[in-house]
Structure formats: structure tokens, C-alpha cells
Amino acid sequence: MSESQHADRLNLLPQAEIECRVAKIKAEMSVAGIEALLIADNANKYYLSGRVFAGQIYIPLHGAPIYFIRRPVGLEGDGVVYLRKPEEMVQSIAQPHPVSLGLELDSQSFSSVNRLAAIFPEAELKNGSALLRRVRAVKTPAEIEMLRRSGIRHTAVYARIPSLFRAGMSDIELQVEIERLSRLEGCLGQFRISGDSMELYMGNLLVGANADSPSPYDFAMGGAGLDPSLPVGANGTIIRPGSAVMVDMNGNYDGYMTDMTRVFSLGQLPDLAHKAHRCSIDIHRALCRMMRPGIEAKALWLRAEEIVEQAGLKPYYMGHRQQAGFIGHGLGIEINELPVIAPRSRDILEAGNVIALEPKFVIPMVGAVGIENTYIVGDDGIECLTTAPEEIIALDV
Amino acid sequence: MSESQHADRLNLLPQAEIECRVAKIKAEMSVAGIEALLIADNANKYYLSGRVFAGQIYIPLHGAPIYFIRRPVGLEGDGVVYLRKPEEMVQSIAQPHPVSLGLELDSQSFSSVNRLAAIFPEAELKNGSALLRRVRAVKTPAEIEMLRRSGIRHTAVYARIPSLFRAGMSDIELQVEIERLSRLEGCLGQFRISGDSMELYMGNLLVGANADSPSPYDFAMGGAGLDPSLPVGANGTIIRPGSAVMVDMNGNYDGYMTDMTRVFSLGQLPDLAHKAHRCSIDIHRALCRMMRPGIEAKALWLRAEEIVEQAGLKPYYMGHRQQAGFIGHGLGIEINELPVIAPRSRDILEAGNVIALEPKFVIPMVGAVGIENTYIVGDDGIECLTTAPEEIIALDV
């Protein structure tokens, strides 16, 4: 085969979609006083091209993006420049060079930032991370379509979870069967997480007292994990009668993730567990009525807090031994996008936000209850992308 | 339960093991002129405590380490200090403060480094990343024992791969069954990779022409993947007669990873594929005889190159459309540790290095062949940790 037969388009997004995303970024660059933005983060490169590659994207405030590619070989398209080292990009960038350069200071390593910044020694260094997070918080219709597709497949997998259960299974045995089903349904597995300290493999399934094992992360419920090198999630607990089984598994089916949690039970759960689960659903209902463009994220958090206090469930809310500091988060390419639904959040909801709400409770010795859904915020109301049944589902019927 | 019943030891390593690791680090700090090292990277925190937690470890050149912990709650031990923000650590550090501070500049984000550096405004900032990589490249006997255990379970999974194959399966279907078996055997799944740009889920299974799809990473064989958001590995190719099936799946069973590749076949493979596979095994044999303390890593690379040239297999070696720049790498907590077996490597082998060698070939339209094994370098010779049969194994007998 000739090389040209191997050639592949760099840019997998429709031209209009690219232009829309670049225009949103340039508007933010203009406000931030950034003359050029140099993007190296996989999530942001994917956002701007529809694929992941090794290299950088250079976006001048005035002019067309340049895609500097190291690997893979064989990509073609407007603005594609192959290079071996980032230092070579200087030859492709028109003079005068930018006087201010935005880099992803929150996600790129100190050494990488210094290497890229040194290519433009005259430019003032600015932080482009927040700008990109703000732009990506408001999804385009094309992105929402990708999220809907992930939601459909995610929901289809959850519907089949009861059929995977066998008496005597451990938490990890049930999780592995859900992982298998998810992967056969097309789940990519990868959890993209902004920031490099959170590690998680394919999701969490938490049974009984293990839900109350505090994790290194800002989670309502953590789980001890199978090994102290990855201390989160299932720990080998046998699923016994009287246990709640909380399932919070990866919904990345096409590069855009939905987030969904459901609870299953074996045998009879105490009334407290049912009451708390009901309270979580009530919070979802109340917050769904409030989630409109213009509302403050912290108002959602406060409303949920009120509902929990009225129900007398505060000691169990968002964890018991260790409590999480948020009850919802934006998501899309990464699992922790904007807005953040937390008491000190300054985020204000916009149409096009996609938000996972996860008011949860840990009932000591029983397990975790409550649901998580992913919602699109629209001008006229919300749309739920994760539509599996919300009540606690018995595994033994 | 009282809080004290929940208390857990911070440090899961034997005291002598901790002391040995800290002493190795201090020796390197002394050479590098680093008076204090502040560690935030999960892999390095795990190395120094036997667990992952949110927070930092402060190692003064003179004095005992301090473990600054944000989460999880409930850890106890010598040197444990809980804090909410890293800025609070200054209260726990004896005066005078260090005049030079080592941070992990190659793995921590620019913003994180600046935040930590600002706690010690008088200190000169130094890069601690290379020092930690050098220390971790020489495994202690306790680490080697962890690697041996991963190797045993990794090998047990590979032995059962032929039993998982069913006629008509796609690459991803077979991969999912191997993932399931690995997970049930205790595989943690997580690939720890130094540097944040390489993304990979649980390993690669490559069939036929897909092995020749170039990836964004420095891999001999990449695979197109299921989606352009994660363009690596299986792409849905049906496993047909005449295909080589290369399996390179995650061997992280206890926080320490082994790396192993084996090739399976359906139907008859062309002689060229068998010849190249034989050549890979010959390279392993030749390099195993050379791998002794004191030998240059690049000498191993050159010897492999000679063997390949003598066999006339250069066009297929380490990839066909896109070739990888190395044939082996250290590994342990992360998959890409030192030494690197590459033409311009300056590494020199030491006793205690653990190295995965992976001389591989891509035969166009047939697939990838060759093996990968993980070896311990000892004073008296090597020990292979990945002992599954090395020949090409037929799936259809």
C-alpha cells in the first residue's frame, strides 16, 4: 500500500463544529488577554480535533489553529505540521510572536510547561487551564449527542445487572461481570480525570461496611479497595443478606462519559436505608426543578442540605466516617468538569451544562444508598441521560 | 465503633524497608544538593509508605520523614500530621527551613509545583523527579518479591488464554474475556504510567492488520482502538485464520507490575511471521546473557539490532508503518521506569533493575509477533518473572 492510502484526516469533527469550539476559546482568550494558546492536554486536544494524538495545538487569537503532531504518522488536514520536538514549532509560527502565551498550567507538568514556554521566551506566561474548563463546561449540541449515546448504552448495561448476580458472589466478582458487560457493550473503560492524583479503575461497587472505608479522594463513599496501592472500591466483601450494593461504574462509551449510580439489595434492608434512598431521589426531584440557566451552583447544594436536615439524615449524608465536599459535578470528556455543586462554588449554571448529581448516604454496616444521574441543563428544563430505574432493586427475586 | 477501632497504620512497609528506601533517597539528595524533598506523586508516595493517600511526604536530608495527610481519615504512625491545605505544613517543619527544595517537576503540574514551592519562599527549587526515578530503578528484595507475585498470577492468566477463544470472536471480545480472567485472578487493572499523556486501558490485544495502525505513543504496534478518543489497541477486528494475535495485558496484581507479551495464532501463519517470532526469542536469549550489572543499556539495543539485521528483518522490527524508539524499559510501580533500552540511553544496568524486554515485529496484514518478558537483573544472572510458554500458540487446536 502507498503512504497516501494510509493517510487519515486529522480532524474528525465537522468544520462548523471546530469553528464553533475555536470561536468560544478565542472569545475567552480575548477576555483573558491571551494572544496564543498552546494546548498539550489529551482531553483538550480531543475537544479540538475529535482525536487524541501526541503533539500540541497552537491557537492564535487571530488566525487559524496549527496542529503540531509527533505521532501517529499519516494524519492530514488544514494546519497539520509534523515535528519531532516541540522546539521545531517556532519555524511554523508567523512573526511577530505572541506577547502572551496561555499554557495548561493546572494539568501540564512543571517541566513540560517550562519547555513549551521557552519556545516563546518573549511571551508572558498565562494560565489557560481555567479558560478551557469554562469553555468545555458548556456543551455543544454535537457533544450532547455523544453524551446521550453514552447514556443509552450505560443504561442498557445497568438494566442487566440483576441478571449477573449469583448467590455467594463477592463485590469484586459482581463488579468484574459488570465490567465485562460494559466492555462488550462498547465501554472504553478509560476514566479521564482532570488532575493527576485521582486513580480509579472502571468504577466502584460498594457493599456493606466497605462503603464506609474512607478513601484518599473527595468521595462520599470510598471503599478499601483490593490493595493499598489502589485504595478505593470493592475489597472482596461477600454480598450477604441485609447489604446494600451501590454500583457506580464507568459510562465512557464514545469519549464522553455519563455518570450513574444505582443501588441493589440482597435481602431486607433496614428502614433507615430505604428512607435515605428515598431522600436522595427527593433531592434529585427538587434540584431538577431548580436547575436552570442563571441559578447558582451553591443554591443547589444548600437546597439539598435543607432536605437532608429536614429528614434528619445529616450524619449519613455524603459519607459517614469521611464526608465529601460536593454533591454534583460537570462532566463530559473528563469526569470532573465544571460546574461544581458545592457550598463555596462560584459557578452559575448555563444552558449546555451537563451535571451529574450524586446525593448519597452511607448507612453504617449496611452500605451506601442514593442515586446519581447525569442531566443536561436546558433553557426549558433538564434532560436526564441515565434512565435506569431509580428505586433499590432486589438481586434475589 | 469508636474512632480508634477505625485507626489504621499509615505505613504498611516494615520499618527496615522504609529506612532502606529513605536512606537511598537521602544519599541521592546529598549528591544533588537537595536539603528537603517534598513528594506528592502517587507512585512515589506508595514507594515510601506502601499505600496511596492524598497529601505529601516531606523528607529532610537530616531528620525523619513527615507524612502530611489530607485523606483518608484515621491513619496513625510516626511522623503523621493531618492537614487541610499544604500551606499548613510550615507549622510542622523545624527551623531553619531548607535552602533548597526538591519537588517532582516532571510529574506535578506547574500550578501544584508553584503552590508547594511558595510554602518555602526562601528555598531554591530543584527537580527531584530524576533522583526518585534513579532510586526506584534499583528494586529492594521486598519489591522483587512483589514483582515475583505479580508475575506468577500474570503467567497463570496467560496459560488459560487459549481456553477463552471461541471461533468468530473479535479482538475486543477475546480481550474482554482476558480482562475478566485477569480481574478475577486479582489484577488491579490500573496502569501507572509516569507522565500524563499516555492513556491505555488494561492492555492491548492486536490482530492482523490492526497491529500496523500507528498510535499516538512510542509503541512498536499500536492498534486503531475502538474510538478516536482512545486510539490504541483492539478495533473490533474478527480473528480470522492466518492472523497473529498479540496479547500484551496488564500485570498489576499488587501495586508492582510485570509486563508480558505472547502471540497466539489462528490457522497457518506465513513463514515470515514464524521467522520473526523466532528472532525475537533469539534476541531475548542473547540479551539475557548480556544483562549484568555494569553493561550499558544501549549495548543491549545495539546487539538486538545486529541480530535483526543478520536475519534480514529490519523492515518489520519494532513496528512497520511507525517504529518504536526502544526495545525495553524498567518497570515496577510504573510501567515506564529506568533503565531504558534505547540507542541513546545513558543508563547502565545495576543489580536490582527489573526490565521488560520487548523486541517485536509487525508483519503487514498478518499481525504482530515476538515476545515480551520481565527480568530481574542480578549479580549472577537474570531471573525471568513471566514464564508462560514462548512459542506461538495455536488457538484452534
Side-chain angles (χ1 to χ4, degrees):
Chain A
M1 266 189 269
S2 75
E3 278 306 301
S4 67
Q5 279 180 277
H6 286 305
D8 196 2
R9 275 183 308 139
L10 162 75
N11 215 317
L12 298 178
L13 300 171
Q15 189 58 29
E17 182 70 19
I18 290 283
E19 283 169 11
C20 158
R21 296 184 191 186
V22 169
K24 293 197 325 176
I25 288 172
K26 286 187 175 182
E28 291 269 356
M29 286 168 64
S30 181
V31 171
I34 292 177
E35 264 199 18
L37 191 59
L38 189 55
I39 288 173
D41 189 87
N42 280 350
N44 288 326
K45 284 186 284 188
Y46 176 63
Y47 180 72
L48 277 161
S49 70
R51 72 157 77 235
V52 168
F53 58 89
Q56 295 84 27
I57 304 178
Y58 180 85
I59 304 185
L61 185 54
H62 307 290
I66 306 176
Y67 298 83
F68 293 109
I69 301 179
R70 191 156 47 97
R71 293 191 201 87
V73 298
L75 299 181
E76 292 183 350
D78 289 347
V80 167
V81 176
Y82 270 87
L83 41 68
R84 293 160 59 97
K85 304 190 292 189
E87 288 73 14
E88 294 165 16
M89 69 175 64
V90 75
Q91 299 153 20
S92 306
I93 291 170
Q95 294 282 358
H97 283 175
V99 298
S100 58
L101 178 73
L103 295 176
E104 297 148 316
L105 305 189
D106 296 349
S107 65
Q108 292 297 300
S109 75
F110 186 88
S111 300
S112 297
V113 165
N114 281 343
R115 182 172 180 179
L116 294 176
I119 299 171
F120 303 94
E122 312 293 321
E124 182 191 359
L125 183 61
K126 299 223 176 188
N127 193 349
S129 291
L131 170 171
L132 288 158
R133 279 168 72 83
R134 280 196 302 275
V135 167
R136 280 177 35 205
V138 177
K139 273 68 182 174
T140 68
E143 290 185 283
I144 285 174
E145 204 41 57
M146 306 271 286
L147 282 152
R148 283 196 185 107
R149 285 199 287 260
S150 268
I152 289 166
R153 295 161 89 179
H154 203 183
T155 301
V157 167
Y158 272 51
R160 291 170 61 192
I161 289 174
S163 73
L164 300 174
F165 177 73
R166 301 284 173 271
M169 263 185 168
S170 68
D171 52 5
I172 187 69
E173 286 168 341
L174 180 55
Q175 173 164 337
V176 168
E177 298 309 327
I178 302 171
E179 289 175 3
R180 174 178 177 273
L181 193 60
S182 301
R183 293 281 283 154
L184 291 174
E185 186 68 35
C187 183
L188 303 172
Q190 202 77 13
F191 260 115
R192 284 207 172 81
I193 303 169
S194 174
D196 55 4
S197 69
M198 200 168 105
E199 296 173 316
L200 187 63
Y201 182 77
M202 191 74 190
N204 276 351
L205 187 149
L206 294 166
V207 173
N210 186 42
D212 209 8
S213 295
S215 86
Y217 312 119
D218 190 10
F219 291 166
M221 48 283 310
L226 295 172
D227 189 273
S229 69
L230 193 64
V232 67
N235 72 340
T237 298
I238 301 294
I239 304 172
R240 296 187 198 286
S243 295
V245 179
M246 173 169 276
V247 177
D248 185 359
M249 296 284 291
N250 189 310
N252 180 7
Y253 288 84
D254 58 11
Y256 282 78
M257 279 177 278
T258 46
D259 208 351
M260 172 165 42
T261 301
R262 291 297 184 265
V263 175
F264 302 84
S265 66
L266 191 64
Q268 200 65 26
L269 298 190
D271 289 347
L272 178 59
H274 286 284
K275 181 182 176 185
H277 192 78
R278 185 70 244 165
C279 183
S280 171
I281 295 174
D282 291 344
I283 292 170
H284 277 267
R285 296 286 174 278
L287 269 41
C288 281
R289 285 191 296 270
M290 295 170 70
M291 285 203 290
R292 295 292 179 278
I295 192 169
E296 290 182 310
K298 69 181 175 198
L300 299 171
W301 189 90
L302 284 167
R303 180 69 190 113
E305 197 78 355
E306 277 174 14
I307 296 171
V308 170
E309 280 175 4
Q310 280 163 16
L313 291 167
K314 196 73 198 296
Y316 315 106
Y317 183 51
M318 295 310 291
H320 170 248
R321 286 181 58 203
Q322 177 172 298
Q323 299 188 306
F326 69 99
I327 61 160
H329 54 89
L331 73 167
I333 301 171
E334 292 176 308
I335 200 70
N336 53 348
E337 301 192 354
L338 296 176
V340 180
I341 315 299
R344 278 182 293 274
S345 175
R346 293 180 180 179
D347 300 333
I348 293 172
L349 268 60
E350 294 180 70
N353 284 161
V354 175
I355 298 174
L357 285 185
E358 49 178 326
K360 295 176 182 172
F361 298 87
V362 174
I363 312 298
M365 307 314 291
V366 175
V369 296
I371 62 169
E372 177 173 28
N373 280 329
T374 302
Y375 301 103
I376 302 167
V377 179
D379 284 317
D380 306 319
I382 60 92
E383 174 185 339
C384 181
L385 299 180
T386 46
T387 57
E390 297 184 339
E391 68 272 22
I392 297 176
I393 294 180
L395 291 173
D396 48 351
V397 289
Chain B
M1 268 189 268
S2 73
E3 279 305 302
S4 67
Q5 279 179 277
H6 286 305
D8 196 1
R9 274 182 309 139
L10 161 75
N11 215 316
L12 299 178
L13 301 172
Q15 190 57 31
E17 182 70 19
I18 291 284
E19 284 169 10
C20 158
R21 297 185 191 185
V22 169
K24 291 198 323 177
I25 289 172
K26 287 188 174 182
E28 290 270 356
M29 287 168 64
S30 182
V31 171
I34 293 177
E35 264 198 18
L37 191 59
L38 189 55
I39 289 172
D41 189 87
N42 280 350
N44 289 326
K45 285 187 283 189
Y46 176 62
Y47 180 72
L48 277 161
S49 69
R51 71 158 77 234
V52 168
F53 58 88
Q56 295 84 25
I57 304 177
Y58 179 84
I59 303 185
L61 185 54
H62 306 291
I66 307 176
Y67 298 83
F68 292 110
I69 301 178
R70 191 156 49 97
R71 290 193 204 87
V73 299
L75 299 181
E76 294 183 348
D78 289 348
V80 168
V81 176
Y82 270 87
L83 40 69
R84 293 161 59 96
K85 303 190 290 189
E87 288 74 14
E88 294 165 17
M89 73 175 63
V90 76
Q91 299 153 21
S92 305
I93 291 170
Q95 295 280 0
H97 283 175
V99 299
S100 58
L101 178 72
L103 294 176
E104 295 147 317
L105 304 188
D106 296 349
S107 65
Q108 292 297 300
S109 75
F110 187 88
S111 300
S112 297
V113 164
N114 281 343
R115 182 172 181 180
L116 294 176
I119 300 170
F120 303 93
E122 312 294 320
E124 182 192 358
L125 183 61
K126 300 224 175 187
N127 193 349
S129 291
L131 170 171
L132 287 158
R133 280 169 71 81
R134 279 196 302 275
V135 167
R136 280 176 38 207
V138 178
K139 274 66 180 173
T140 67
E143 291 186 283
I144 285 174
E145 203 43 55
M146 307 270 288
L147 283 152
R148 283 197 185 107
R149 284 199 287 259
S150 269
I152 288 166
R153 294 160 90 179
H154 203 182
T155 301
V157 168
Y158 272 50
R160 291 169 61 191
I161 289 173
S163 73
L164 301 173
F165 177 74
R166 301 284 173 270
M169 265 185 166
S170 68
D171 52 5
I172 187 68
E173 287 169 342
L174 180 56
Q175 174 164 337
V176 168
E177 299 308 326
I178 302 172
E179 290 176 3
R180 173 178 178 274
L181 193 61
S182 300
R183 293 280 284 154
L184 291 174
E185 185 68 34
C187 183
L188 303 171
Q190 201 78 15
F191 260 115
R192 285 207 170 83
I193 303 170
S194 176
D196 55 5
S197 69
M198 197 168 108
E199 296 174 317
L200 186 64
Y201 182 76
M202 192 73 189
N204 276 351
L205 187 149
L206 295 166
V207 173
N210 186 43
D212 209 9
S213 294
S215 88
Y217 311 119
D218 189 10
F219 290 168
M221 46 283 310
L226 295 172
D227 190 273
S229 69
L230 194 63
V232 67
N235 71 339
T237 299
I238 302 294
I239 304 172
R240 295 188 198 285
S243 296
V245 179
M246 174 170 274
V247 177
D248 185 0
M249 297 284 290
N250 189 310
N252 180 6
Y253 288 83
D254 58 10
Y256 282 78
M257 280 177 276
T258 46
D259 208 350
M260 171 165 42
T261 300
R262 291 295 184 267
V263 175
F264 302 84
S265 66
L266 191 62
Q268 200 64 26
L269 299 190
D271 288 347
L272 178 60
H274 286 284
K275 181 182 175 186
H277 192 78
R278 185 69 244 166
C279 183
S280 171
I281 295 174
D282 290 344
I283 293 170
H284 277 268
R285 296 287 174 276
L287 299 192
C288 280
R289 285 190 295 269
M290 295 170 71
M291 287 203 288
R292 294 291 179 279
I295 192 168
E296 291 182 308
K298 69 181 175 197
L300 299 171
W301 189 90
L302 284 168
R303 179 71 190 112
E305 197 78 354
E306 276 175 14
I307 296 170
V308 171
E309 281 175 4
Q310 280 163 15
L313 291 167
K314 196 75 198 296
Y316 315 107
Y317 184 50
M318 294 312 289
H320 169 247
R321 285 182 57 204
Q322 177 172 298
Q323 298 188 304
F326 68 100
I327 60 159
H329 53 90
L331 74 167
I333 300 171
E334 292 175 307
I335 200 71
N336 52 348
E337 301 192 353
L338 295 177
V340 180
I341 314 300
R344 277 182 294 274
S345 175
R346 293 183 181 178
D347 300 332
I348 293 172
L349 269 60
E350 294 180 70
N353 285 161
V354 175
I355 298 173
L357 284 185
E358 47 178 326
K360 294 175 182 173
F361 297 86
V362 174
I363 312 298
M365 309 312 291
V366 174
V369 296
I371 63 168
E372 176 173 28
N373 281 326
T374 302
Y375 301 103
I376 303 167
V377 178
D379 284 316
D380 305 319
I382 61 93
E383 174 184 337
C384 179
L385 299 179
T386 47
T387 56
E390 299 185 339
E391 68 273 21
I392 296 176
I393 294 179
L395 291 172
D396 48 352
V397 289

